Amino acid sequence: MCTIHTDQKWCFYCDTCDTLICSMCATLDHRSAENNLLKIDDTIRSFRSEVDNILQKFEKCRQRFKSTENSIEHAQKRLQNKLAQARSDIDAKAKAEITKIRNKAKLLTDKVDKIGQERDNEYEKALMHNRDQMERADQTIAAVNDLMRQADDFEHLELKPKVMHNLEFQKELKFEPVNHGPSFIGVRFQDVVSDAELGEVCVSEKWQLKGEFGKEVAQGDASNQLEAPFGVAVTHDDLLFVTDKKKVKVFDTELHFVRKFTPSADDADGRSESYLTAVAVDSQRVAVADKGRKVISVHNLDGSLIASISNNMVEHFLTISSLGCLVLTNLQGQSLLCVNFEGKEMYNVKTLVNGEAAKPTGVLCDDDETIYVAVHYGRSRVDEVQRYDSNGAFVATVAQGLYNPIEMAFTPLVT
């Protein structure tokens, strides 16, 4: 009932005054054109709808907050991992440099020892030769002296030719001369450890060229060698997985054939033919992209099938995220997408360079849930590698000024 006209029921809501009113209130106090009178039922429905909309927006805000919180925690975890890795790298670098210096010192010492031994041997040979010469001379002189002491004059004259012949040895005496030159050996040191710092601290991520290599090699039975290799991946125990036409072939560190398996067969109706374009591995699984059949097959490391996922976005590049999802790029669609092992799409985002659409190619995932994507902008030397978080949100550019980057891979870190 109305609190002013106690015999009247509330029947309107004055939206202008934000108050419930009765018919008498409407006639007496809320009759101006400025007052917007609404039916109570309509007002309640409008109010509930407005509250629901606000709550829905808040729930989306909560989800964004949670996603942002997760990303911050991932970034914080990544920072701690990078700090630990940086400390480990510094220690490893110091040990490696110490080992290099010790190895160089050993090589230099071995070289000095070898030269010293060779020269000492020459001096020893000269000593032995000269001592032998003198020993022979001493024996001859002793014999002549004995003869000269014991024989009389007539015997001396009779033995004269023999004595003089024996004394001819002095003309044959040849002593090795003294050569003081080889007696010297020294070392002129170079500044192996300079005053420069061991390294510099990098406060932003930037990839640098470590080295380049080439030349395809495959050993073993001719039937198991590579014919048309395309996608490659390496396990933590250094097994090399390669897509080769319709098969995946596995090789060891010496590129000897280990095994092979066929991920999927051609469609029975012949409308789509298997064309394997990418392979990705983690500690337990192998994922293979079949562009021909638009299928991603997931296998155990021995090749046995776990799941087969159909997706029209399958092209040439694929990786397995640390969260147990499949991340792939679609060059024509200019997008990066993620699906789980049931085929459900987790996200699908456009790849951009300077705010304009760009074509993604190679993709890989780090252990800290960071995603790296090679992106093509269509101009010379402006392609780049970008970093995304686990939700597909762009984080930063880590390498710029590239020319046509295609595929990427991480090596196992040995410490």
Side-chain angles (χ1 to χ4, degrees):
M1 305 298 289
C2 180
T3 56
I4 299 174
H5 309 97
T6 55
D7 59 339
Q8 298 291 319
K9 291 183 177 181
W10 279 331
C11 56
F12 295 105
Y13 181 79
C14 181
D15 192 45
T16 306
C17 301
D18 281 333
T19 185
L20 288 162
I21 61 175
C22 65
S23 57
M24 290 295 291
C25 292
T27 304
L28 297 174
D29 302 321
H30 299 267
R31 62 183 179 181
S32 69
E34 296 176 354
N35 291 90
N36 183 23
L37 304 184
L38 303 173
K39 291 182 179 180
I40 291 178
D41 291 345
D42 293 341
T43 303
I44 291 175
R45 280 194 296 272
S46 176
F47 171 65
R48 290 184 181 277
S49 177
E50 186 177 359
V51 171
D52 287 342
N53 289 337
I54 293 173
L55 292 178
Q56 288 177 11
K57 289 180 181 179
F58 177 75
E59 184 59 32
K60 291 181 180 179
C61 180
R62 182 197 297 276
Q63 292 175 1
R64 287 196 299 272
F65 169 79
K66 184 61 178 177
S67 176
T68 302
E69 185 179 45
N70 289 340
S71 294
I72 292 174
E73 289 175 350
H74 291 327
Q76 191 176 31
K77 179 181 177 182
R78 184 171 188 262
L79 172 62
Q80 296 304 318
N81 290 338
K82 292 298 181 183
L83 282 172
Q85 187 60 57
R87 295 188 188 103
S88 176
D89 290 345
I90 292 170
D91 185 57
K93 177 65 174 176
K95 289 179 180 178
E97 292 302 318
I98 292 171
T99 301
K100 285 181 183 178
I101 293 172
R102 285 176 175 169
N103 289 340
K104 289 179 180 179
K106 186 178 185 306
L107 289 173
L108 196 57
T109 302
D110 290 346
K111 188 174 183 179
V112 167
D113 289 345
K114 182 180 179 182
I115 295 172
Q117 187 64 49
E118 290 174 351
R119 291 183 175 183
D120 188 67
N121 290 341
E122 291 298 320
Y123 281 131
E124 191 65 28
K125 285 171 60 178
L127 284 173
M128 295 301 296
H129 173 78
N130 291 347
R131 287 171 180 172
D132 182 63
Q133 292 285 303
M134 286 305 300
E135 185 178 355
R136 289 173 54 196
D138 288 342
Q139 290 174 355
T140 302
I141 293 298
V144 170
N145 285 332
D146 289 343
L147 179 64
M148 296 300 291
R149 281 195 306 270
Q150 297 174 11
D152 57 26
D153 293 340
F154 294 102
E155 289 174 331
H156 285 162
L157 293 177
E158 288 178 354
L159 295 174
K160 176 183 175 182
K162 183 177 180 180
V163 171
M164 295 307 293
H165 175 74
N166 288 338
L167 291 177
E168 289 291 327
F169 77 91
Q170 62 178 340
K171 297 180 181 180
E172 299 177 359
L173 286 177
K174 292 183 180 180
F175 296 103
E176 290 289 338
V178 178
N179 185 359
H180 290 285
S183 66
F184 172 81
I185 188 168
V187 180
R188 184 171 57 251
F189 293 103
Q190 300 179 16
D191 190 14
V192 179
V193 181
S194 66
D195 293 332
E197 294 182 0
L198 191 63
E200 60 177 338
V201 177
C202 302
V203 296
S204 61
E205 188 171 25
K206 183 178 180 181
W207 290 4
Q208 295 178 332
L209 180 65
K210 182 74 172 179
E212 300 180 13
F213 62 93
K215 190 175 182 180
E216 298 172 3
V217 180
Q219 303 177 6
D221 194 324
S223 63
N224 294 324
Q225 292 182 6
L226 298 173
E227 300 177 53
F230 200 103
V232 297
V234 180
T235 63
H236 286 291
D237 55 355
D238 287 334
L239 284 179
L240 176 67
F241 285 70
V242 186
T243 63
D244 192 25
K245 293 185 176 181
K246 300 180 182 182
K247 297 184 180 296
V248 174
K249 296 181 179 178
V250 185
F251 299 87
D252 63 17
T253 53
E254 301 298 324
L255 295 182
H256 293 116
F257 176 78
V258 176
R259 60 177 174 273
K260 61 184 175 183
F261 61 92
T262 304
S264 58
D266 300 340
D267 285 353
D269 56 14
R271 286 185 297 178
S272 61
E273 184 177 355
S274 180
Y275 173 31
L276 306 184
T277 52
V279 59
V281 297
D282 62 11
S283 59
Q284 299 176 332
R285 294 159 296 202
V286 183
V288 184
D290 188 338
K291 181 183 178 183
R293 299 184 60 241
K294 297 295 182 184
V295 168
I296 301 173
S297 56
V298 183
H299 307 258
N300 293 307
L301 293 179
D302 62 2
S304 56
L305 184 66
I306 297 174
S308 183
I309 304 163
S310 297
N311 193 301
N312 289 329
M313 302 288 279
V314 174
E315 286 189 340
H316 298 92
F317 304 100
L318 168 74
T319 189
I320 303 176
S321 79
S322 54
L323 295 176
C325 293
L326 302 169
V327 181
L328 57 152
T329 59
N330 185 273
L331 186 143
Q332 299 304 320
Q334 300 173 333
S335 58
L336 168 72
L337 62 149
C338 175
V339 297
N340 62 20
F341 287 167
E342 286 73 45
K344 180 182 178 182
E345 187 175 287
M346 310 304 291
Y347 59 78
N348 187 334
V349 297
K350 291 292 183 180
T351 49
L352 307 172
V353 173
N354 299 325
E356 298 183 18
K359 297 179 178 180
T361 53
V363 58
L364 55 84
C365 255
D366 205 347
D367 290 338
D368 60 7
E369 302 175 10
T370 300
I371 301 168
Y372 295 92
V373 184
V375 181
H376 295 242
Y377 189 43
R379 299 177 188 171
S380 177
R381 296 290 179 184
V382 296
D383 298 337
E384 57 189 43
V385 175
Q386 299 177 346
R387 179 157 60 92
Y388 293 77
D389 66 16
S390 59
N391 298 309
F394 174 80
V395 177
T397 297
V398 296
Q400 292 177 306
L402 305 179
Y403 178 73
N404 198 31
I406 299 295
E407 185 62 282
M408 302 176 291
F410 282 127
T411 60
L413 180 64
V414 179
T415 58

